[in-house]
């Protein structure tokens, strides 16, 4: 192959990754609006600010620490050295950094309206530099213990842990990291009164819809570009993502009787569920996987927030934690050839890999949020919370003109 | 001078204003309010969580008129605002001691005389 | 007939409505207002520019009752709205000369009698 | 005790509040309202469809003061709110029978005496 | 060509289609906000919910029925069987499914604020499984009667019906499907009083703008990826789309005297008009085609909604129906080489193909909506309509926090 | 290379440019929302309308005049003639036209709430047809005086003026064009009272955030596709853009104490700063460049709007003008190999090129806005301004339903 063709192919592969990375970056706009719409007006500015600064903090920590831990590649050499093959490694870093940034965005949705600004940001940053890349390394990276072709699980059960686009590595881990943060923080004031659930109204259904649209759109970059190079590109991943999303929408619609917020979240549940197996299951299986994902979310949300009285504002633990677990396992069920899948997957590996992810995430997060809580406190005072984080943390309101005379 | 305050259904406010205008009454102030009363509110659902909302959107209009026009105003409002269903609203009548037009400095009945036609 | 107007903290409005409902008083009209008083406002910042906001969001509720119920209403509001911090608000008592129910055309005390239970 | 209600142009509300504050009057409640009167509204267009809007955004402020301060208040409002163009608004004066401060339980003139300076 | 290069090229072609499909998917966010901004606040939640669930219903019907009808390809084999050439057929399905989903989104904009939820959804789904793929097959698909190189029109008039990106197949069909639905439903309460038009206010110009932006942006995927493979890719399509949009904006601006809603819709009118001929006309022709499209929309909207008192809330019949027809015909006028175009097009074929599309759409829709109306009713009761579909159908409001005390 | 491969490669390159162009186009939605959120409610419709019609006017002027001036290529031949190599030149035009459209969008943000509609639009159009392409030609185009490999600067200082993605050609020029427009217009009514700054409240922080997100996302197209062909594609550009943005966010956060608007603008400052050197500096340098960009913006904004009482509503002069200058110079500082960069850059050339851009822009703009001011006036009357441009210019409001009774 002559050089110019090689350059062209490298460039195309870089474009593929960057196309994906930009879409995953755009999901962050989605996290921002999903949270802004789901909280009360007093917490809207805070939602936007946290999402964008967390992205920034993640980029730095993952650049210097997370990516090197996970893949053994660092970018401390000169610009010429680190950008060989048209900067493919850098592009890959960008794509995976955008995955890592899901972690603080998910936590943010759970702890909204009552958390302090910096303690939460520091805890998130520590997790991005430790727990997250450690597990990533075991599945996708240099360790390969769980996901490597000759890692422990592959050797034991005949197939490694398969998590194509991160149902577990990203979503389950994010959800199970968020849970301790939510528990350690406790519910918002007046969320439960004398043991009774008294829901706090969301501020804007249109913002929730906008957030979901950004997430739905960007998710196709998330899943499809997980192929990393164009010769591994697959239309199957795209259609599986599509149909899983569709399954989530329809099931959420039916079991919630046309509840707009549940439906828009149901789409996301379908997408969380399909990440792991999107490259190996049949589209009809994807529809089922996504549909079950939608149901797991709706039911999980009601159990968590109503019954167990965990004030998980956006339902991030059911959405990413529970549905992510379902995604990891479902790849083992539907990925086998007898179910019309492409095979090369083992249910045992899936269960173990998934459990490991959830367990490590929960434990690591409990430790780090626990320590930070002790050292600095995680929560605003009740008076501050009553006034709201926008005025307290940012000295501003979401709609200044309306609020002024 | 009398202040007539009427709480009506928001979808009727245009008709009420038209009815008043037909009587030559253009000076009116309108408030967006919420009301609770005999009309039932809605049980709303967000992510499956039930919220019972007992207050409903209402419009309130306020018009200050010379004493002798009160019944005219009440009748105009009643006929334009009535649907016969719960939630049609109330009219309150009370006394105002003085009125001043900021632009001209005029006071009292004169101000109201002034504004009854346009 | 008496009109009781109360300016309270917005976060207390639900409690006040509940307290009134316990007394059998369901007919209430609520306004979103801004108030200034002894409670300090905030200094806000947008792109580093300071804006001092002296008026704060408040809720006003208005309830017209028969004369003898006034103290009941005042007490209910006071106990449900009080936090003890600056900004709890005021209650104003004034006279209403007549009340008309649009739906039925009833007038006077009768209207209020009618609405005190549900 | 007297209630002074003033309907003014929204863009003048800050000036009016400042003028009142200069008199030592900080306790004020403000409403966003719509008003119709002599000032003409706009003919708006959306996708070529004409909508005639006769009501215009106005601000209403309400201040309860001791009887002897009424003229002071009226003058402060008048001078701060006047532009001389149609739409400057009206001031209504009416009687209030009692005032209660929720925080302290105080009643009557005392409440108002209390709030005139800060 | 060695395999890895072939894989790379397949992958690139799949990326091309998916890039387009994701952009067309993002247009759905546009439909949602365009409708949400154009209706009153009581119908906002309903708008969002209908747009997203319709997407879901379309995906399923088109996967199992529509695409197989139109192209003779189904996806019932195993995952391995259906994803040859890196899943190119699946990617193509995704792209075309996103086109099909324009149908219910367009109907939705016409019948907003007063339609029942399920009857409308079912009627839309039936249309996606019958009328739409039938006509699609005649133009782009296995039948090829109108659009095939050796179909009936090609044989008769020397050139087949040319509809590159669907001015007719998608837009005119959508608009003429929407019209009977709107007529059978009748105008909203109080929209016309005693024979006089009394416009109902739109709720949010910013949402209308946001919707238009999503549509304008996504439309470049719609038109450009209609080339299907990269070797047929053309910068001409891109610039023609750009200039037609620009023509629509400017003409709408001038004839409406800076009416913001018309201008944002004018951009879309330009884009509807250029779809058919975007691959063959000269950019200056595109500017003219788009400009005329803008004028057709503005005038058509006023005639329909004011004069004929058809309460087409978003103006979908003029926008997609009338401008789509203009698009189909204009390709025959400006596509010829004497007008600087690339040729290979016949005005007669364009007129016949366009008329066929509009006619089939109208008739099929009249039948299906008519039957559903008889069986289940299409419309909310007046009391329900007064309260609004948000509370009636979804038991929620768009801005819960504001509405609560 | 056989033809089909050549076609495929051409098509891929066209896709690359179009991918970028669509992203840059989407930035315009960002400009629209950034301005809509930053003005008062009375000026929201005007913001949306100006941004979209300016795009249209720019497209036409740049198609017929600007691009031919800058690159010596026109599109007056037949469709067949102008679309060789799959229409690569047309795609390139689209991409660069989207750059040119930044000019009026930036001006718009500075002169918001008080400018007349057509005078400003005409002045912008003239600038797009004269000053802008003239300077563009000197740096990227046929003149090459500053940026050409054998231009004047290259000959004198050993390296041409390097402005990879337009810190200077686009942003500094836009900012320095906006400044005279803002000065000639004067501050909004009541913005400064008796020499004291009395800030006018912004209407919506969420819209500001939404605008920033569109801009941040689209910016990756802006920078990355500046490589023009895939064989020049570079992951380095992507990661440098990412880290510069991140630097801008974090520095703005720290020096403004969590001011949401500053933080979202800080991201943009980082991106403006990195455009010039994004292909040659090391990612760690990019972080520093972006961070300093954030600081320059925050401080520049406060100086301009508070101290010098220039009522630059969105802060476009500090954001694009000052930070753009910093971007041009910083490429000369950090691009050299001794700083880990790829070299081939001269600080002297950078300073001269940058100064030339700012100077030409300022002078040309002063002239054109000055003449138009004399001939037609630039500003609404005080009464009109008090009512607001939405009602005066567009006879509509942003939220019609809310405002009506
Ligand atoms: N006693 C009252 N004081 C103040 N406002 C009242 C009172 N009673 C009713 N209202 C107002 O009138 C509205 C309509 O009252 P409602 O009882 O629902 O209907 P109806 O008057 O037709 O029986 C309420 O929503 C509330 O705003
Ligand atoms: N004289 C007054 N007239 C009208 N409204 C008043 C007056 N004084 C106070 N208010 C209203 O009551 C609210 C609470 O008053 P404030 O002085 O802050 O608290 P507190 O009553 O607890 O001392 C104010 O925000 C304002 O809306
Ligand atoms: N009779 C009235 N009752 C209640 N409000 C009134 C009355 N007349 C005028 N207003 C209020 O005053 C505002 C200004 O009145 P308008 O007639 O437009 O101006 P001006 O008082 O300068 O002639 C109106 O918009 C309305 O809100």
């Amino acid at each position: 192959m002559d050089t110019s063709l090689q350059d062209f192919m490298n460039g195309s592969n870089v474009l593929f990754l960057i196309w994906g990375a930009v879409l995953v970056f755009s999901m962050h706009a989605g996290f921002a609006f999903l949270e802004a719409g789901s909280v009360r007006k007093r917490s809207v500015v805070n939602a936007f600010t946290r999402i964008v600064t967390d992205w920034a903090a993640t980029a730095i920590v993952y650049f210097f620490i997370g990516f090197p831990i996970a893949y053994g590649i660092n970018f401390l050499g000169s610009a010429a050295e680190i950008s060989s093959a048209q900067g493919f490694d850098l592009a890959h870093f960008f794509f995976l950094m955008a995955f890592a940034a899901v972690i603080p965005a998910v936590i943010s949705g759970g702890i909204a309206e009552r958390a302090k600004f910096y303690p939460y940001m520091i805890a998130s940053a520590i997790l991005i530099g430790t727990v997250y890349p450690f597990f990533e390394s075991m599945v996708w990276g240099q360790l390969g213990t769980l996901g490597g072709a000759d890692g422990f699980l592959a050797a034991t059960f005949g197939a490694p842990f398969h998590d194509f686009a991160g149902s577990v590595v990203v979503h389950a881990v994010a959800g199970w990291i968020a849970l301790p943060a939510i528990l350690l923080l406790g519910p918002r004031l007046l969320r439960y009164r004398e043991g009774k659930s008294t829901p706090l109204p969301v501020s804007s259904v249109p913002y929730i819809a906008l957030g979901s649209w950004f997430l739905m759109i960007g998710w196709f970059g998330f899943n499809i570009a997980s192929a990393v190079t164009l010769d591994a590109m697959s239309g199957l991943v795209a259609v599986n993502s599509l149909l899983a999303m569709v399954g989530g929408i329809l099931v959420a619609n039916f079991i919630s009787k046309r509840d707009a917020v549940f439906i828009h979240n149901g789409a996301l549940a379908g997408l969380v569920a399909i990440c792991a197996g999107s490259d190996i299951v049949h589209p009809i299986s994807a529809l089922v996987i996504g549909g079950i994902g939608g149901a797991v979310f709706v039911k999980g949300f009601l159990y968590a927030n109503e019954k167990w009285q965990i004030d998980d504002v956006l339902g991030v633990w059911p959405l990413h934690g529970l549905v992510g677990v379902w995604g990891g396992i479902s790849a083992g069920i539907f990925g086998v050839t007898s179910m019309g899948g492409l095979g090369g997957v083992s249910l045992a590996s899936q269960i173990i890999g998934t459990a490991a992810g959830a367990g490590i995430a929960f434990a690591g997060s409990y430790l780090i949020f626990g320590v930070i809580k002790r050292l600095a406190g995680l929560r605003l005072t009740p008076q501050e919370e009553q006034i709201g984080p926008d005025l307290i943390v940012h000295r501003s309101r979401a709609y200044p003109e309306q609020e002024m005379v | 001078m009398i202040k007539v305050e009427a709480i009506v259904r928001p979808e009727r406010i245009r008709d009420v204003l038209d009815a008043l205008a037909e009587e030559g009454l253009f000076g009116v102030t309108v408030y967006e309010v919420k009301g609770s009363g005999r009309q039932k509110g809605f049980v709303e659902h967000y992510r499956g969580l039930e919220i019972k909302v007992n207050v409903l959107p209402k419009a309130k209009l306020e018009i200050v008129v010379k004493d002798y026009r009160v019944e005219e105003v009440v009748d105009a409002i009643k006929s334009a605002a009535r649907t016969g269903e719960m939630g049609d609203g109330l009219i309150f009548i009370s006394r105002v001691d003085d009125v001043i037009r900021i632009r001209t400095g005029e006071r009292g009945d004169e101000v109201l005389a002034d504004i009854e036609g346009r």
Side-chain angles (χ1 to χ4, degrees), chain A, chain B:
Chain A
M1 223 174 281
D2 56 43
T3 336
S4 81
L5 181 57
Q6 188 58 58
D7 283 357
F8 167 81
M9 286 174 69
N10 286 343
S12 298
N13 279 324
V14 170
L15 175 62
F16 178 40
L17 274 176
I18 298 289
W19 167 79
V22 170
L23 281 172
V24 184
F25 176 45
S26 77
M27 291 170 69
H28 248 63
F31 286 117
F33 276 89
L34 201 63
E35 183 172 333
S38 300
V39 297
R40 287 166 300 167
K41 275 206 289 190
R42 70 190 70 168
S43 310
V44 165
V45 171
N46 187 240
F48 284 115
T49 313
R50 276 202 278 120
I51 295 292
V52 79
T53 51
D54 283 342
W55 170 274
T58 301
I60 291 193
V61 174
Y62 197 72
F63 182 82
F64 287 107
I65 303 174
F67 190 78
I69 287 182
Y71 301 95
I73 297 171
N74 72 54
F75 301 116
L76 302 177
S78 74
E81 286 158 25
I82 62 175
S83 58
S84 60
Q86 256 109 323
F88 182 83
D89 282 344
L90 285 162
H92 199 197
F93 154 73
F94 183 8
F95 183 63
L96 289 170
M97 178 259 133
F99 276 48
V102 169
I103 304 291
V106 164
I107 307 174
S108 181
I111 60 160
E113 302 217 52
R114 58 203 190 281
K116 284 188 182 177
F117 194 75
Y118 285 118
Y120 144 79
M121 190 175 165
I122 289 167
S124 300
I126 293 174
L127 287 157
I128 295 298
T130 55
V131 174
Y132 179 77
F134 171 64
F135 187 70
E136 186 182 12
S137 179
M138 293 207 295
V139 182
W140 294 339
Q142 49 179 341
L143 282 179
T145 333
L146 304 170
D150 30 52
F152 168 72
L153 284 184
T156 317
F157 300 102
F161 174 52
H162 183 91
D163 188 11
F164 181 64
S167 282
V168 177
V169 175
V170 180
H171 294 285
V173 164
W176 288 92
I177 277 180
L179 184 58
I182 297 165
L183 294 173
L184 287 165
L185 208 54
R188 285 168 292 172
L189 286 180
L190 304 182
R191 175 64 186 86
Y192 305 102
R193 293 191 186 193
E194 301 154 21
K196 255 194 63 204
S197 165
T198 55
L200 301 174
V202 306
S203 61
S204 170
V205 173
Y207 285 175
I208 292 177
L210 180 57
S212 292
W213 277 107
F214 269 115
L215 283 161
M216 289 189 271
I217 295 164
W219 217 297
F220 285 92
F222 199 98
N223 286 4
I224 294 167
S226 286
V228 180
T229 54
L230 281 163
D231 57 359
M233 172 69 164
S234 158
L236 182 64
V237 174
V239 171
N240 282 344
S241 304
L242 172 64
L243 290 184
M245 180 182 79
V246 157
I249 291 169
L250 292 177
V251 168
N253 178 50
F254 288 119
I255 64 181
S256 77
K257 299 212 189 103
R258 304 171 299 286
D259 181 309
V261 184
F262 263 148
I263 293 170
H264 283 86
N265 285 179
L268 309 181
L271 287 160
V272 167
I274 201 59
C275 286
S278 56
D279 61 331
I280 51 169
V281 304
H282 189 277
I284 298 175
S285 304
L287 188 63
V288 175
I289 291 171
I292 294 176
V296 167
F297 170 63
V298 169
K299 293 300 174 194
F301 182 85
L302 293 175
Y303 268 89
N305 285 53
E306 288 292 86
K307 219 165 175 170
W308 304 326
Q309 308 209 337
I310 299 169
D311 185 18
D312 176 357
V313 183
L314 272 74
V316 298
W317 175 63
L319 182 53
H320 300 269
L322 295 184
V323 180
V325 164
W326 161 241
I329 294 169
S330 66
I333 300 172
F334 292 94
V336 296
T337 47
S338 59
M339 297 291 284
L342 295 183
V345 75
S346 136
L347 182 54
S349 292
Q350 292 308 107
I351 292 173
I352 294 170
T354 303
I360 291 172
F362 185 84
S365 168
Y366 212 102
L367 184 73
I368 287 164
F369 273 99
V371 169
I372 302 255
K373 181 176 178 174
R374 198 146 291 192
L375 296 179
L378 291 170
R379 190 166 176 149
L380 299 178
T381 68
Q383 291 83 332
E384 289 174 336
E385 189 183 339
Q386 175 55 54
I387 294 168
D390 288 5
L391 277 170
I392 295 301
V393 179
H394 308 283
R395 298 167 304 163
S396 76
R397 301 179 205 250
Y399 305 98
E401 191 186 6
Q402 276 180 29
E403 304 295 338
M404 279 161 201
V405 175
Chain B
M1 287 146 293
I2 301 287
K3 184 200 269 183
V4 180
E5 293 167 277
I7 294 158
V8 303
R9 297 178 186 278
E11 63 265 26
R12 285 293 163 129
I13 186 80
R14 285 218 134 182
D15 299 297
V16 175
L17 291 177
D18 289 350
L20 291 169
E22 268 178 34
E23 310 282 329
L25 296 161
F26 296 101
V28 187
T29 302
V30 181
Y31 302 69
E32 271 182 44
V33 299
K34 306 271 152 67
S36 95
R38 314 195 127 212
Q39 186 188 6
K40 288 256 161 53
F42 294 92
V43 180
E44 305 183 9
H45 284 75
Y46 299 95
R47 280 210 199 85
L49 308 182
E50 273 191 19
I51 305 190
K52 204 164 157 14
V53 179
N54 278 320
V55 293
L56 293 159
K58 296 282 166 192
K60 173 180 144 176
L61 53 87
E62 191 169 87
I63 175 163
V64 176
V65 292
K66 281 191 274 190
D67 298 22
Y68 75 94
R69 303 205 64 171
V70 169
E71 289 308 314
E72 235 175 280
V73 170
V74 168
D75 288 347
I77 295 173
K78 274 209 303 203
S79 64
R82 197 175 172 281
T83 69
E85 305 280 315
M86 300 253 177
D88 280 352
L90 306 187
I91 303 175
F92 305 128
I93 313 285
S94 56
R95 188 139 283 292
V96 166
D97 297 319
D98 203 357
V99 185
I100 299 118
R101 183 175 303 284
I102 292 172
R103 175 165 51 88
T104 58
E106 296 160 286
R107 285 185 98 127
D109 265 12
E110 199 186 341
V111 171
L112 301 174
D114 196 13
I115 205 170
E116 277 163 22
R118 92 172 151 181

